[in-house]
Amino acid sequence: MGQEITQDDFTRQDFEVFERHLQAEMELLNHWFEGHKFASDDLQCGLELEAWLIDANGLPAPDNSLFLTTLDRQSVVPELAKFNFEFNVNPQYLRGDGLANMQAELTSTWMRCDQVAAELKHRIVTIGILPTVRDSMLCLQNMSPLRRYAALNAQVLRLRKGQPIRLTIEGQDHLSSTHTDLMLESAATSAQVHLKVPEAKAVRYYNAAVIASAVTLAVAANAPLLFGKRLWEDTRITLFEQAVDTAGPAPRVSFGPGYMQSSLLEYFQGNVRNHRVLLPAELDEPPSKLPYVRMHNGTIWSWNRPLVGFESDGQPHLRIEHRPMSASPTLADLFADTLLFLGLTHALATLPEPPEQKLSFEQAKENFYCSARYGLDAQLQWIDGASYNVSDLLLEQLLPRLSESWKRLEIDDTFAQSGGDVLAGRVQTRQNGANWQRRKFAEFHGDVQKLLMEYVQHQALGNPVHTWA
């Protein structure tokens, strides 16, 4: 969905043409899987991080056009709302100092973004949901002026037959909101980790990522507040799922269709079978780049999403996009979360007996939503058949095994140790971004502006969230 399109109004013929292209490309994709045409080199990681622009009062600043024009970096791009943008980090091999290089690149870009924002009398902040965003701010007036967003908004409402989107969330408080546009989605900002995997191991890695999601979500939770209400530890999950509800036979945003059995082709086939075309744009890339498959896949947001990408020589590769984690309190937290996902997924994917044979998909799904609601206090059913508090599971079983997993991945020892210390500190103190925000919300008697400004001060210092007062 990062690709701009040339139209935002479609005819019946546009849908028919798109579907013909889609079916032709699916035949090509099937041929690639049958012929094992995908790249099979070492594991690589990519990263996206969504962020906010805020003004001096801590309110969203709908100014990303001027900000991005002034910044002039291809790796930083607009998001749905004018007060959001996204960092993109060049992919790196996991072995050696690849992740350290990613962190150095993102740190450099962050510093430049912070400088440009300051010149515009704004600040940047990464957080799962901005505590100061108001329901009235999530409106079409604040939508980024790109055709793909206007088209996405129109087509979601078309599929809903004009029915408004109704948001209902039960947490410590109750929230209800009604919107006649897609802008609720823009309140949820996340970190997305891309893991490029060999085709022969792709099913095991995908299923492992699905199982790992409950743990990564709980540890990285950073969105307990929306419109001044105390809701889930990571309210983004239910917010995003409800905000893009097209009222179809299968949800556009979900935990996913199930474990894969023999090939990731099953996922792409399911998308064509179960989801209506949303954006039937005319695309000018050749079929060998699968533009229609990728566009259709880009309008279905599973929390773990298989993707097809391409090497510099044109050879296709397979990636797993891991989407459950909130935008992080600091870059130190972000790369600790990334290490958790990579290490845990690799550990699960390389067990002698596949863990998906021990933990049903329905139980993995139940774990996931329990983590979204309760964060580090979630109770999970694990692959050994026992039930654990997620914090105890991490301290007693997972963190000791992660070090071994990072070594097997040949990740730089110093970088891995630093990230492991952050994860251990977070679990031992029981303080992630969500817990810190809840405590400050109580301490400041619901003053979300005061909460956010203290959060921004801590984020600027760069110390991981478990050390925040």
Side-chain angles (χ1 to χ4, degrees):
M1 276 306 299
Q3 179 182 356
E4 182 57 314
I5 58 179
T6 58
Q7 61 192 113
D8 53 26
D9 188 28
F10 306 107
T11 66
R12 180 184 298 273
Q13 184 179 8
D14 291 325
F15 283 91
E16 293 172 352
V17 170
F18 188 98
E19 287 170 359
R20 285 200 299 271
H21 284 299
L22 180 60
Q23 290 299 331
E25 290 181 7
M26 284 299 298
E27 292 179 12
L28 177 59
L29 183 60
N30 183 69
H31 172 72
W32 288 352
F33 275 100
E34 287 180 346
H36 307 295
K37 301 293 186 182
F38 296 94
S40 58
D41 58 352
D42 292 343
L43 299 177
Q44 280 186 277
C45 178
L47 188 64
E48 301 170 88
L49 177 63
E50 297 167 349
W52 297 76
L53 275 177
I54 60 173
D55 64 19
N57 296 315
L59 297 175
D63 207 11
N64 67 4
S65 180
L66 179 58
F67 168 74
L68 293 171
T69 300
T70 306
L71 180 68
D72 192 24
R73 288 205 179 187
Q74 291 185 346
S75 63
V76 185
V77 297
E79 277 288 316
L80 175 62
K82 292 178 180 178
F83 36 70
N84 295 139
F85 64 97
E86 180 183 81
F87 297 94
N88 290 270
V89 187
N90 286 314
Q92 298 276 352
Y93 287 104
L94 299 188
R95 63 176 184 268
D97 56 4
L99 294 177
N101 290 337
M102 292 177 71
Q103 185 168 12
E105 178 192 338
L106 183 54
T107 299
S108 174
T109 306
W110 178 285
M111 293 173 63
R112 177 56 183 155
C113 287
D114 192 46
Q115 179 185 18
V116 170
E119 292 170 1
L120 301 175
K121 305 200 181 313
H122 298 326
R123 299 195 71 168
I124 61 173
V125 61
T126 56
I127 191 169
I129 294 175
L130 196 74
T132 56
V133 70
R134 298 168 186 163
D135 201 347
S136 60
M137 297 172 179
L138 304 179
C139 60
L140 290 181
Q141 180 181 349
N142 286 330
M143 179 182 282
S144 293
L146 279 74
R147 287 184 180 273
R148 69 176 182 267
Y149 295 136
L152 185 65
N153 182 71
Q155 293 304 310
V156 167
L157 294 178
R158 178 186 65 82
L159 291 180
R160 293 182 59 83
K161 302 186 187 305
Q163 291 297 309
I165 295 168
R166 303 188 188 280
L167 176 69
T168 302
I169 307 175
E170 295 286 349
Q172 187 173 346
D173 300 320
H174 170 82
L175 174 65
S176 180
S177 178
T178 300
H179 275 247
T180 55
D181 54 57
L182 201 63
M183 288 297 287
L184 277 168
E185 178 199 335
S186 64
T189 47
S190 64
Q192 296 140 36
V193 183
H194 291 244
L195 177 61
K196 191 180 83 171
V197 296
E199 179 190 352
K201 301 177 181 179
V203 166
R204 287 291 307 270
Y205 273 99
Y206 173 79
N207 293 342
V210 168
I211 294 171
S213 296
V215 178
T216 62
L217 172 59
V219 172
N222 194 23
L225 306 170
L226 178 61
F227 307 151
K229 303 288 188 179
R230 297 161 296 179
L231 302 168
W232 295 12
E233 290 300 271
D234 211 298
T235 306
R236 289 170 37 257
I237 301 301
T238 187
L239 170 61
F240 192 26
E241 291 186 351
Q242 294 184 59
V244 195
D245 179 9
T246 57
R252 306 298 288 210
V253 186
S254 73
F255 189 60
Y259 292 135
M260 298 297 104
Q261 301 302 315
S262 60
S263 167
L264 292 191
L265 178 64
E266 299 160 18
Y267 181 87
F268 297 97
Q269 290 172 330
N271 279 353
V272 174
R273 183 172 58 250
N274 299 322
H275 295 282
R276 295 167 287 183
V277 169
L278 195 59
L279 294 182
E282 182 179 356
L283 305 172
D284 59 6
E285 285 187 289
S288 60
K289 294 294 185 181
L290 301 186
Y292 292 87
V293 167
R294 288 160 51 217
M295 174 63 81
H296 186 56
N297 196 49
T299 64
I300 301 156
W301 296 271
S302 298
W303 292 112
N304 289 280
R305 181 166 64 174
L307 303 174
V308 176
F310 297 90
E311 304 293 291
S312 58
D313 63 0
Q315 184 182 16
H317 68 242
L318 295 171
R319 300 200 308 274
I320 298 162
E321 181 187 27
H322 188 68
R323 306 175 54 85
M325 301 187 298
S326 262
S328 310
T330 67
L331 297 188
D333 290 298
L334 170 65
F335 280 90
D337 295 339
T338 301
L339 278 166
L340 172 61
F341 165 66
L342 296 171
L344 181 54
T345 299
H346 179 68
L348 293 170
T350 54
L351 287 173
E353 185 177 355
E356 57 266 36
Q357 296 177 6
K358 298 181 177 181
L359 187 75
S360 72
F361 181 80
E362 287 305 313
Q363 186 59 62
K365 182 177 180 179
E366 185 176 329
N367 285 347
F368 180 80
Y369 289 102
C370 185
S371 288
R373 285 179 175 271
Y374 303 113
L376 290 173
D377 292 325
Q379 197 76 11
L380 307 183
Q381 189 81 18
W382 198 237
I383 61 174
D384 58 3
S387 179
Y388 298 90
N389 173 276
V390 67
S391 297
D392 294 336
L393 175 66
L394 277 154
L395 286 173
E396 296 170 11
Q397 291 196 35
L398 301 186
L399 287 177
R401 295 177 183 174
L402 283 174
S403 295
E404 179 185 347
S405 186
W406 295 329
K407 286 184 183 299
R408 289 166 58 199
L409 289 168
E410 300 182 56
I411 295 171
D412 176 76
D413 285 343
T414 302
F415 188 88
Q417 180 63 53
S418 177
D421 290 344
V422 171
L423 293 171
R426 202 184 306 168
V427 177
Q428 288 164 353
T429 61
R430 297 294 200 273
Q431 179 162 290
N432 57 11
N435 288 342
W436 185 88
Q437 288 189 60
R438 281 191 181 273
R439 292 192 184 107
K440 286 297 174 179
F441 186 88
E443 179 183 337
F444 296 153
H445 306 289
D447 187 336
V448 291
Q449 183 181 17
K450 188 175 181 181
L451 179 159
L452 178 63
M453 298 317 288
E454 184 168 326
Y455 179 101
V456 171
Q457 290 173 3
H458 280 296
Q459 186 167 88
L461 293 174
N463 298 319
V465 70
H466 74 273
T467 67
W468 295 7

